[in-house]
Amino acid sequence: MSLLRDLEGVGADRFRGGYSRHVFTDPELQLRAWFTEQAQRRGLDVEQDRNGNLWAWWGTPGPDAVVTGSHLDSVPGGGAFDGPLGVVSALAAVDELRATGFRPRRPLAVVVFAEEEGGRFGVACLGSRLLTGAIAPERALKLTDPDGVTFGEAAARAGLEPERIGPDPDAVSRIGAFVELHVEQGKALEPLGRPVAIGSTIDPHGRWRLTFVGRGDHAGTAAMADRRDPMLPAARTVLAARSAAKAGTRATVGRLIPVPGGTNVVASRVDVWLDARSASEPGTREAVDEVIAAAQQAAADEGCEVEVREESFSGEVAFDPGLRDRFRGVLGDVPVLPTGAGHDAGVLAAHVPTGMLYVRNPTGVSHAPEEFATDEDCAAGVRALAAVLEELAG
Ligand SMILES: [Zn+2]
């Protein structure tokens, strides 16, 4: 897809492979500038809201606007499609509608949400959560990146006014319906032989941080019996996550940071992040409780302390059934899929009628460089999105 090719190379991560495009870093700011230029080239009016989300308007902004879009930031070493596909498909759908002479009767906007992955400040969907009031601005402003820079400082450097960050009911009230197109994260469409699907639900999911504190020491001289090594309960927590992940539950430790982090040093502290999801909220909570209990036992066994913090939790999201019926009305009998992946659409769904479209990912892999969609399938996604926008805004 030619618009997506414009982004190749921006934020390429030589160490991890794939892309690292974290909010308000140079590559992400470069992508924002690209989006703004592309939108302006199409005669769309671009504005940045008080939380760093970008809106490109076809027609006078709100109310009852039909809004589509996604995000441009990535996880560390992420794929090329998660996020950008939804943004470039939205621009391409505008082109496609224009080419047919379509004129929207409702305002139409393309949105780029900030920090969807939480790749820099740890809380996913930060831009849409701030917009809708799902996170308190006081808490968001104090979130820090791995270098100790706060979200407030980074936002100020990017030209936002930290004192204005927070719920934006005027911006939310302009949205009549929200549609997010996204690359499929999983492999349901490949066996079905179908390029596009409609989203049904998002599984409940959350992130927990477990901090194990022991005593730093010399790897050569500290007697094994005297050690309080937090790496041991951390390791047992990783294994507990695997055993807590029963049928339908996913529990993952994808990030673990020992402090100070020396080869010949017994760590003094280890931070472990647990990501857990399941089809039901009790199922998710049960798995997390099991991991926390195992972590506490493991810490006690090794003479360490453990502190557990819930960094975020999102309950089950069911996308709007009325919208889904209208999507099926124009797209026909396309598959309807649940997902375990969180999205800004999941945050918006609590406030406005919201739906999602997925484009087939033949590798089934996401949040990694192998994430993929063919040009033909991307084009099918654009056609589906254009058809849905025409139905909603026509
Ligand atoms: Zn995404």
Side-chain angles (χ1 to χ4, degrees):
M1 180 177 210
S2 63
L3 279 171
L4 212 46
R5 282 198 187 97
D6 283 4
L7 313 184
E8 274 173 16
V10 181
D13 190 324
R14 290 209 193 115
F15 171 66
R16 299 182 178 94
Y19 296 98
S20 292
R21 300 160 164 170
H22 301 312
V23 71
F24 303 146
T25 63
D26 287 347
E28 201 255 3
L29 292 171
Q30 202 178 322
L31 293 178
R32 286 166 173 270
W34 173 86
F35 171 78
T36 302
E37 203 244 302
Q38 286 292 327
Q40 285 170 343
R41 206 187 274 184
R42 287 166 174 77
L44 309 180
D45 294 323
V46 182
E47 58 177 39
Q48 177 166 250
D49 70 20
R50 61 169 83 160
N51 295 303
N53 308 305
L54 295 173
W55 303 75
W57 289 93
W58 182 3
T60 312
D64 203 29
V66 176
V67 180
T68 183
S70 193
H71 60 97
L72 291 171
D73 68 303
S74 75
V75 296
F81 297 84
D82 179 351
L85 184 64
V87 175
V88 302
S89 297
L91 294 172
V94 167
D95 292 344
E96 200 152 311
L97 290 171
R98 282 250 175 84
T100 66
F102 173 77
R103 296 183 76 99
R105 284 197 295 123
R106 295 163 69 175
L108 205 151
V110 178
V111 66
V112 174
F113 285 111
E115 179 73 333
E116 192 275 342
E117 300 288 5
R120 183 169 177 193
F121 293 100
V123 174
C125 301
L126 191 59
S128 56
R129 282 185 208 267
L130 281 164
L131 172 80
T132 56
I135 183 169
E138 304 76 44
R139 182 176 163 225
L141 289 167
K142 280 191 236 147
L143 293 170
T144 52
D145 74 2
D147 296 324
V149 177
T150 67
F151 177 67
E153 288 163 351
R157 259 177 241 164
L160 294 180
E161 297 168 59
E163 60 282 0
R164 293 190 67 235
I165 283 173
D168 195 344
D170 291 343
V172 176
S173 70
R174 299 188 304 198
I175 311 171
F178 178 62
V179 187
E180 180 168 359
L181 178 146
H182 205 278
V183 70
E184 180 189 16
Q185 299 175 291
K187 204 175 180 176
L189 288 176
E190 180 73 10
L192 295 175
R194 306 291 291 272
V196 172
I198 298 170
S200 56
T201 55
I202 297 180
D203 289 349
H205 58 281
R207 299 176 179 193
W208 290 262
R209 177 181 181 153
L210 295 92
T211 300
F212 297 93
V213 178
R215 187 180 58 223
D217 211 329
H218 190 298
T221 58
M224 298 309 287
D226 292 342
R227 293 187 182 188
R228 290 167 47 217
D229 182 354
M231 189 58 89
L232 296 170
R236 282 171 61 184
T237 301
V238 175
L239 299 175
R242 167 51 70 98
S243 62
K246 302 187 179 71
T249 306
R250 274 95 48 213
T252 308
V253 174
R255 188 171 163 216
L256 180 152
I257 301 180
V259 177
T263 305
N264 55 355
V265 181
V266 176
S268 58
R269 191 182 99 199
V270 179
D271 284 308
V272 171
W273 282 265
L274 171 71
D275 176 301
R277 309 159 189 239
S278 117
S280 77
E281 191 166 328
T284 311
R285 294 276 181 200
E286 209 175 289
V288 172
D289 289 347
E290 191 178 319
V291 177
I292 291 173
Q296 287 166 334
Q297 183 59 53
D301 290 350
E302 299 297 335
C304 297
E305 313 286 327
V306 58
E307 185 196 340
V308 181
R309 264 170 296 170
E310 182 175 296
E311 292 198 329
S312 63
F313 185 81
S314 308
E316 191 191 12
V317 170
F319 292 120
D320 189 80
L323 268 189
R324 198 188 316 154
D325 289 348
R326 291 180 73 181
F327 290 6
R328 292 195 101 175
V330 290
L331 302 179
D333 186 26
V334 299
V336 177
L337 299 178
T339 182
H343 297 288
D344 295 304
V347 175
L348 268 292
H351 303 269
V352 295
T354 297
M356 285 194 76
L357 297 173
Y358 299 119
V359 172
R360 172 167 53 191
N361 176 355
T363 69
V365 174
S366 189
H367 284 183
E370 290 76 16
E371 186 180 87
F372 188 60
T374 65
D375 280 354
E376 295 73 39
D377 287 358
C378 291
V382 171
R383 284 194 299 276
L385 181 61
V388 161
L389 297 176
E390 184 174 9
E391 159 71 10
L392 298 178

